[in-house]
Amino acid sequence: MKTGFLTGICLFMALLQGICQQKIDPDAIRQKMQWFADAKLGIFIHEGIYSVDGIDESWSFHNKKISHADYMKQLKGFTLSKYEPAYWADLIRETGARYAVITTKHHDGVAMYDTEMNELSILKATPARRDMIKPFFEELRKRDIKCGAYFSLIDWTEPDYPGFLKDSAKYKIEDDYDRWNKFRKFFQGQINEISTQFNPDLWWFDGDWEHSAEQWESEKIRQVILAKNPNAIINGRLQGYGDYETPEQNFPVTRPKFNWWELCMTTNDNWGFHHDENWKTPYEVITIFVDVVSNGGNLLLDFGPREDGTIPDEQVTVLKELGRWNKKHGEAIFNTIGGIPQGHFYGPTTLSKDSTNLYLFLHGQVEGTIMVKGLVNKIEEITVLGNGTKLAHKVVGKISWSHVPGLVYIDIPGDVQDKYVTVLKLKLNKPVRLYRGQGGFN
Ligand code: GLC
């Protein structure tokens, strides 16, 4: 009896330890995050009924640009009639991206998959009458691309959500806990469905700002997801229970201090299909991408298909140009680590994982001479990536009695340039070593 009791206690302690370890073991987290850290590029897809009229996804009724009733009329026009998940997956593959994230449900509450939790899905409430997620994940997995599920915690249509249409049916959770619990069962039920039906490699939650971790039950959500798939990665929008940060549209100037981060960005100024012609050019997207990677992050680049599933030409062009550039320069991007600190070279840089190759990115039409400061290493060879040309360099101002390294000057001929960003590979004699002093005798 006593032994049984003790064994019980031991088992309980071991279990507790296991749970705690799962939460804090930095090695396990690093291992889980490795594919994400190596991936550098993900593709975001916002597809929902908002593409019918080409208006702001969910926010249009929240911000009263349109009534909720009129917004919901778009259900009748959502067809996915030309949806070719294999084409989407091919296009994503062509960009070089290693993962994709798609909207399973936006703030408007319309499920893009077969939910049993209510009637508001594209299967039951639109002429599309099909699940958008399952065939897409299948095509991604055939191509070895990781599958991410965007899921909005907020649901501005579900009547038990306290922010329902923002005013009329608004209630305080403290005043009606039963009602809030009803909503919790509902949205957590959907998370369960998505987990069971699709087993995402990555969860991209959104809208956590409307409630606290306790109210959402963030910790429980994390545990439930990890119990089903211990390798699942969770983005940072779960009130403190995610694995990585998600700055949105706003570009860091100094290097973010997070272990893992991902900039999510639109190709024009909208997430979903929109009457918006403010397209970013391939040059802009590529230079932003390079900047993100050199600062140790990933780019999650969005496209928004039309209601029939076709993708605007401008987006296809940007994705293909990015892919063409990646094909030529992938060595300097994928499986690398963030570059050397700013100031050594007036442009972005990355490093191979062993730090013996330093990649320099030259934006635009650079012809003439570039300079690298404070590089202690010897350079064994300089190659123009994707072109093969070897370049010479000159070390200037190295004083024999000083440990301060000289300046490296490299001449860039006009005929080696890439249309967008040229990349130089500097093969170093050893892992990179930098001088960061103030010159003189320091
Ligand atoms: C914001 C918006 C949402 C969009 C998301 C993508 O959180 O609320 O509309 O889907 O960003 O990052």
Side-chain angles (χ1 to χ4, degrees):
M1 171 75 188
K2 207 170 161 199
T3 345
F5 179 67
L6 278 177
T7 320
I9 290 205
C10 287
L11 274 175
F12 176 71
M13 293 303 283
L15 193 72
L16 202 67
Q17 203 185 4
I19 290 170
C20 293
Q21 273 173 358
Q22 189 191 354
K23 254 172 103 183
I24 53 169
D25 182 356
D27 282 344
I29 301 252
R30 210 163 291 130
Q31 232 176 7
K32 178 180 98 165
M33 295 302 290
Q34 196 55 54
W35 72 257
F36 181 84
D38 291 341
K40 312 300 180 192
L41 181 65
I43 300 295
F44 212 173
I45 299 147
H46 275 69
E47 174 65 309
I49 63 165
Y50 35 88
S51 59
V52 173
D53 290 347
I55 52 175
D56 311 353
E57 75 293 341
S58 310
W59 289 98
S60 48
F61 69 85
H62 181 276
N63 292 335
K64 303 202 166 27
K65 287 187 185 170
I66 183 174
S67 70
H68 183 259
D70 282 342
Y71 181 94
M72 283 299 166
K73 281 187 190 148
Q74 294 178 103
L75 286 166
K76 297 278 161 278
F78 189 77
T79 65
L80 282 184
S81 58
K82 295 181 183 153
Y83 179 34
E84 277 184 63
Y87 172 69
W88 287 14
D90 277 341
L91 188 61
I92 291 165
R93 190 171 174 85
E94 212 179 316
T95 65
R98 310 258 177 101
Y99 65 106
V101 179
I102 189 166
T103 43
T104 60
K105 185 182 90 165
H106 205 265
H107 313 332
D108 60 14
V110 181
M112 308 304 289
Y113 72 98
D114 195 6
T115 181
E116 303 256 289
M117 302 303 296
N118 66 6
E119 301 300 303
L120 192 55
S121 70
I122 57 166
L123 286 93
K124 292 179 190 152
T126 77
R129 298 202 165 282
R130 60 189 291 196
D131 175 349
M132 181 173 82
I133 310 300
K134 191 164 184 278
F136 180 55
F137 276 16
E138 277 169 10
E139 294 299 336
L140 290 178
R141 288 191 162 122
K142 276 187 212 162
R143 291 162 183 79
D144 231 357
I145 299 170
K146 300 273 187 198
C147 300
Y150 167 106
F151 181 82
S152 171
L153 298 164
I154 299 172
D155 190 321
W156 289 330
T157 300
E158 170 59 35
D160 288 320
Y161 186 69
F164 176 54
L165 303 188
K166 263 307 185 203
D167 20 61
S168 52
K170 206 168 172 175
Y171 70 94
K172 281 209 182 105
I173 294 179
E174 308 82 78
D175 298 342
D176 198 345
Y177 222 82
D178 286 349
R179 195 164 168 199
W180 173 246
N181 258 332
K182 245 173 101 185
F183 177 72
R184 273 210 298 228
K185 273 209 179 105
F186 162 75
F187 90 85
Q188 291 176 12
Q190 290 195 320
I191 292 176
N192 251 316
E193 289 177 332
I194 293 168
S195 188
T196 311
Q197 293 182 33
F198 314 120
N199 191 23
D201 303 299
L202 187 149
W203 285 81
W204 215 99
F205 288 110
D206 198 15
D208 66 337
W209 57 82
E210 288 202 356
H211 297 285
S212 67
E214 291 71 30
Q215 288 170 339
W216 293 121
E217 295 188 315
S218 300
E219 188 174 5
K220 177 178 149 199
I221 295 173
R222 184 179 172 87
Q223 274 170 7
V224 166
I225 288 174
L226 294 183
K228 287 210 174 154
N229 177 1
N231 292 321
I233 291 177
I234 301 171
N235 78 333
R237 299 190 183 185
L238 195 56
Q239 290 285 16
Y241 286 85
D243 298 309
Y244 71 90
E245 297 302 319
T246 57
E248 177 175 331
Q249 302 278 30
N250 297 305
F251 315 101
V253 175
T254 54
R255 190 161 172 167
K257 295 208 169 66
F258 316 122
N259 284 334
W260 301 282
W261 63 276
E262 173 199 69
L263 173 76
C264 50
M265 187 181 84
T266 49
T267 36
N268 49 8
D269 292 333
N270 282 281
W271 297 105
F273 175 73
H274 215 281
H275 307 291
D276 166 0
E277 296 299 321
N278 195 21
W279 300 108
K280 293 184 179 77
T281 64
Y283 173 77
E284 288 157 1
V285 168
I286 291 167
T287 49
I288 292 167
F289 176 47
V290 164
D291 202 59
V292 165
V293 176
S294 83
N295 280 304
N298 288 6
L299 177 69
L300 185 64
L301 179 66
D302 180 78
F303 71 83
R306 297 187 189 87
E307 62 74 24
D308 63 2
T310 58
I311 307 169
D313 286 349
E314 291 85 350
Q315 289 180 330
V316 174
T317 304
V318 164
L319 296 172
K320 288 197 168 181
E321 286 297 274
L322 175 60
R324 188 200 66 81
W325 186 87
N326 273 336
K327 219 174 199 164
K328 189 168 160 197
H329 304 102
E331 180 190 327
I333 296 284
F334 303 107
N335 306 310
T336 63
I337 53 177
I340 56 178
Q342 289 165 10
H344 291 271
F345 169 64
Y346 296 120
T349 63
T350 58
L351 286 162
S352 59
K353 275 190 187 157
D354 64 2
S355 296
T356 61
N357 292 309
L358 172 64
Y359 301 96
L360 309 181
F361 297 84
L362 317 178
H363 288 189
Q365 302 296 301
V366 178
E367 191 174 345
T369 308
I370 58 153
M371 179 185 72
V372 181
K373 289 194 284 189
L375 184 65
V376 177
N377 301 75
K378 283 208 165 61
I379 299 172
E380 291 186 341
E381 190 176 70
I382 302 177
T383 317
V384 182
L385 267 202
N387 166 298
T389 307
K390 308 283 178 220
L391 300 181
H393 70 284
K394 183 180 171 194
V395 178
V396 175
K398 173 75 187 106
I399 306 301
S400 60
W401 48 260
S402 168
H403 69 283
V404 179
L407 307 170
V408 176
Y409 281 86
I410 307 166
D411 283 336
I412 316 290
D415 60 355
V416 300
Q417 291 169 357
D418 182 77
K419 198 163 140 196
Y420 301 117
V421 177
T422 307
V423 184
L424 302 189
K425 173 182 181 178
L426 275 55
K427 188 167 179 291
L428 309 175
N429 62 333
K430 284 184 183 151
V432 71
R433 261 187 63 212
L434 298 170
Y435 165 76
R436 306 214 10 98
Q438 295 170 30
F441 294 104
N442 296 317

